[in-house]
Amino acid sequence: MKVMIVSVLVMGLAGCSGKDGPLAASSPSLGPLTGNWQGQMTRTSFTGSGCGAASIPSIDRGGWLITQLNGTTDVLSPLGHYNGTANGSSFVLQGGASSITGFRVICDAPAGTQGASREVRFAGGTLTATVDGNSMTGTTVDTWNEYAAGTQTLMTTMVAKYSFSITKFM
């Protein structure tokens, strides 16, 4: 008896229709950028100083995870997390501090900071990219904040600019 009731319910729901025809379950809309990408980021400029300045990577090779779901693009790169709307082959996304917690360094210079512990955290950035088929090139401008370890005391801010070229895995 239970099987028959379920069958009747399923058949009844399948027969329902909206104003313009049968109701369809809405499914997520994945965009063409969704997938795993691989490539290299190369630092093109750096401003600021701090104990952690030498720890900000100058070259990074690694995987990128990009998702496009219902119009929102989310990019997790080796150095940052960016999101926004990517329409067409060129776009700009904003980065936030949500995915990179940072790292801890011990100061060795200048005088007075030797041995001090600092935390360097990704504070945000901008990713600008152009897509051509399964290739993407672009730039990022990323801000890193350095804090006295274990505090919210900002010691300095550093800005790193990168160029990148990545290819989508098929």
Side-chain angles (χ1 to χ4, degrees):
M1 185 69 164
K2 289 182 183 179
V3 173
M4 192 158 116
I5 292 172
V6 171
S7 297
V8 170
L9 286 174
V10 170
M11 288 173 51
L13 289 174
C16 291
S17 65
K19 186 171 109 179
D20 298 323
L23 292 176
S26 68
S27 60
S29 172
L30 296 176
L33 297 179
T34 297
N36 293 307
W37 296 68
Q38 182 76 28
Q40 179 172 303
M41 296 178 74
T42 303
R43 190 170 69 199
T44 57
S45 71
F46 186 84
T47 57
S49 62
C51 298
S55 299
I56 306 287
S58 59
I59 295 179
D60 202 314
R61 295 174 184 89
W64 294 47
L65 178 61
I66 300 177
T67 57
Q68 285 186 301
L69 184 60
N70 296 328
T72 299
T73 301
D74 195 58
V75 176
L76 183 58
S77 80
L79 299 179
H81 180 219
Y82 311 86
N83 61 30
T85 303
N87 293 319
S89 62
S90 296
F91 54 90
V92 176
L93 303 175
Q94 298 304 309
S98 60
S99 69
I100 304 290
T101 57
F103 49 91
R104 193 171 277 208
V105 296
I106 303 297
C107 299
D108 60 3
T113 62
Q114 201 159 12
S117 182
R118 300 283 191 254
E119 292 175 4
V120 180
R121 301 180 200 147
F122 180 76
T126 301
L127 180 145
T128 304
T130 300
V131 179
D132 184 11
N134 290 322
S135 297
M136 184 185 307
T137 58
T139 60
T140 67
V141 178
D142 299 327
T143 301
W144 297 81
N145 289 334
E146 183 175 303
Y147 298 89
T151 74
Q152 293 299 315
T153 304
L154 181 64
M155 304 305 288
T156 191
T157 296
M158 300 165 280
V159 177
K161 295 180 182 179
Y162 294 87
S163 64
F164 66 87
S165 178
I166 57 176
T167 304
K168 186 175 183 180
F169 280 84
M170 297 313 286

